[in-house]
Amino acid sequence: MADAQSESTAEVRPEDEKLPLWPTIVYGVQHVLTMYGGIIAPPLVMGQAAGLSTSDIGMLITCCLFIGGLATLLQTLGIPFFGSKLPLVQGVSFSGVAMMLAILDDGGGLPRIFGAVIVSSVIGLLLAPFFAVLLRFFPPVVRGVVIVMVGTSLLPVAGGWAMGSDAEAADYGSVANIGLAALSLLLVVVLSKFGSAAVSRLSILISLVVSTAVAAVLGMADFSAVPEGPVFALPQPFVLGPPTFDAPAIISMMILVLVTFTETTADILAVGEVVGTKVDSKRVAAGLRADMLSSAVSPVFNSFTQSAFAQNVGLVAITKVSSRFVVAAGGVVLVVLGAFPVLGRVVAAIPTPVLGGVGIALFGTVAASGIHTLAKADLGDSLNLLLVAISLFFGMLPMVQPEIYAQFPSWFQVIFQSGISSATIMAVVLNVFFHHLGRRSREPFAAE
């Protein structure tokens, strides 16, 4: 009887909560709106760099939405050995764009990238359990650093959105754009403070809708492109040609796989801390396998490497809605957007300054969750304090000095240009050096 009761208690997890249908759908849409700008950016950049036509770029974006939705369903709902069953939204990460552009510059076009993604993802699928074993090297002091960097590394994204996203536009950084971003942020703050529990949880979505309506009245939102193009169109396999397989490209993409492992592990740990649920090496391995399986299938339907989106971790933290089924509903919405391009064009019309305002709240909340995790570590220990100091500043270097690694090889840039992966690597290395190798020095460093 006692065993049955303890088993029943163990099965009750915050992420397994099931909400009524309509709140589930609404909160799911909120997740999609939060990450929409991030998921369409990589195919937009890659399509333009590959010289694709406007219609082909639109097709590329639609495919990324469709596959991102399926990958989200796999990650949140899970099947045996695949999926962390945590509220994580999946999609094409921007962290791999630099490496893919380098492969594109060497010739072979997008089919060469697709082939490299397929092979590297299959190899990554085999390596995932071994990478997950390294979770023992992620104590609170390391996890805290990683989660703080997940939030702070997204600050330039929020800033770019607030300024208007397009640096070549005449109104980039204008008072109007910054004011619109400030409005969306102010709405989040006011609704969180004075709204009912339901309104507070929907503060991001309400802010997006109201701020977009204000932008439309002021002539700052353009919905003219919504009627253009097909209403319904399912992604077709290998529209841009069959994949080609090239050893240097595959090796390059393996570096991206390792970066994806690092960032997804960080996001799994972060959302675990936010939700308040247990995350062990088996769960991390299942999440990484879901990433790699999705990434291996993704190029068949003209998409790229899949990974978790950090900004949605912030949304979970703000709304306190921990249900993975809510995020699964967001995955369904992504699939629908991928099958109905007209809906995607409606969402794409949300002005980026609006996204920038809510992004400040979302990304800052992730960083604050990292600080909360750091509070569990013994920062009175001088070695831990030094670990945090060096790792955070090492991770922030490419943010404040974007050209710091410009003279380094492209594979090095892919790894260390990412604040998340560079801070994570430094934190893990220092943790091993300080706490797992040789005799521990008592007071190598002190801060008053």
Side-chain angles (χ1 to χ4, degrees), residues 59-122:
M59 177 274 301
L60 207 61
I61 292 174
T62 298
C63 289
C64 287
L65 292 171
F66 189 83
I67 294 299
L70 294 180
T72 300
L73 291 172
L74 177 62
Q75 187 71 268
T76 54
L77 302 181
I79 58 176
F81 305 107
F82 294 90
S84 64
K85 295 184 179 180
L86 285 167
L88 288 168
V89 180
Q90 301 289 115
V92 179
S93 171
F94 205 83
S95 62
V97 169
M99 180 60 72
M100 291 191 292
L101 288 176
I103 295 173
L104 198 63
D105 290 341
D106 287 340
L110 289 176
R112 185 167 178 247
I113 294 176
F114 292 148
V117 170
I118 292 173
V119 176
S120 63
S121 299
V122 172

Side-chain angles (χ1 to χ4, degrees), residues 280-358:
D280 54 20
S281 60
K282 290 183 179 179
R283 204 165 193 186
V284 172
L288 297 180
R289 279 194 290 262
D291 263 7
M292 292 299 100
L293 179 60
S294 302
S295 298
V297 175
S298 184
V300 176
F301 295 96
N302 319 292
S303 188
F304 308 99
T305 305
Q306 302 292 306
S307 66
F309 268 62
Q311 50 260 55
N312 293 84
V313 178
L315 183 58
V316 173
I318 283 182
T319 62
K320 305 300 182 183
V321 178
S322 303
S323 173
R324 59 192 174 97
F325 302 106
V326 163
V327 176
V332 173
V333 172
L334 285 172
V335 171
V336 171
L337 289 174
F340 289 88
V342 63
L343 299 180
R345 293 192 293 272
V346 171
V347 178
I350 296 176
T352 54
V354 172
L355 296 174
V358 300

Side-chain angles (χ1 to χ4, degrees), residues 113-414:
I113 294 176
F114 292 148
V117 170
I118 292 173
V119 176
S120 63
S121 299
V122 172
I123 297 173
L125 186 59
L126 301 176
L127 295 178
F130 301 99
F131 190 90
V133 171
L134 299 178
L135 198 61
R136 63 185 291 261
F137 297 113
F138 285 79
V141 67
V142 174
R143 292 202 305 270
V145 167
V146 172
I147 298 169
V148 168
M149 278 309 307
V150 169
T152 55
S153 67
L154 292 168
L155 180 59
V157 176
W161 284 346
M163 296 177 73
S165 187
D166 184 4
E168 303 299 322
D171 64 345
Y172 184 71
S174 66
V175 173
N177 282 348
I178 301 298
L180 187 58
L183 172 64
S184 66
L185 176 59
L186 179 63
L187 286 172
V188 172
V189 172
V190 171
L191 292 172
S192 298
K193 169 66 176 177
F194 298 108
S196 63
V199 169
S200 179
R201 287 182 170 186
L202 289 172
S203 59
I204 300 295
L205 179 59
I206 295 172
S207 174
L208 289 171
V209 172
V210 173
S211 300
T212 299
V214 171
V217 171
L218 298 176
M220 297 176 65
D222 183 11
F223 291 90
S224 61
V226 171
E228 300 176 2
V231 174
F232 177 83
L234 285 175
Q236 299 298 312
F238 302 126
V239 171
L240 300 174
T244 58
F245 303 97
D246 175 76
I250 292 171
I251 293 172
S252 297
M253 291 306 296
M254 277 306 306
I255 297 170
L256 177 59
V257 165
L258 295 176
V259 173
T260 300
F261 275 179
T262 303
E263 295 190 344
T264 296
T265 298
D267 291 334
I268 290 174
L269 293 173
V271 81
E273 292 284 346
V274 168
V275 171
T277 192
K278 180 181 178 182
V279 174
D280 54 20
S281 60
K282 290 183 179 179
R283 204 165 193 186
V284 172
L288 297 180
R289 279 194 290 262
D291 263 7
M292 292 299 100
L293 179 60
S294 302
S295 298
V297 175
S298 184
V300 176
F301 295 96
N302 319 292
S303 188
F304 308 99
T305 305
Q306 302 292 306
S307 66
F309 268 62
Q311 50 260 55
N312 293 84
V313 178
L315 183 58
V316 173
I318 283 182
T319 62
K320 305 300 182 183
V321 178
S322 303
S323 173
R324 59 192 174 97
F325 302 106
V326 163
V327 176
V332 173
V333 172
L334 285 172
V335 171
V336 171
L337 289 174
F340 289 88
V342 63
L343 299 180
R345 293 192 293 272
V346 171
V347 178
I350 296 176
T352 54
V354 172
L355 296 174
V358 300
I360 291 173
L362 293 172
F363 306 158
T365 303
V366 176
S369 297
I371 295 172
H372 177 72
T373 302
L374 281 175
K376 301 176 184 177
D378 180 13
L379 294 185
D381 184 324
S382 57
L383 291 181
N384 281 344
L385 194 63
L386 186 60
L387 183 156
V388 173
I390 294 176
S391 301
L392 285 178
F393 273 67
F394 190 70
M396 292 179 184
L397 271 177
M399 296 170 56
V400 298
Q401 293 291 341
E403 302 299 318
I404 190 169
Y405 301 126
Q407 303 301 316
F408 286 72
S410 58
W411 64 265
F412 187 96
Q413 294 183 43
V414 169

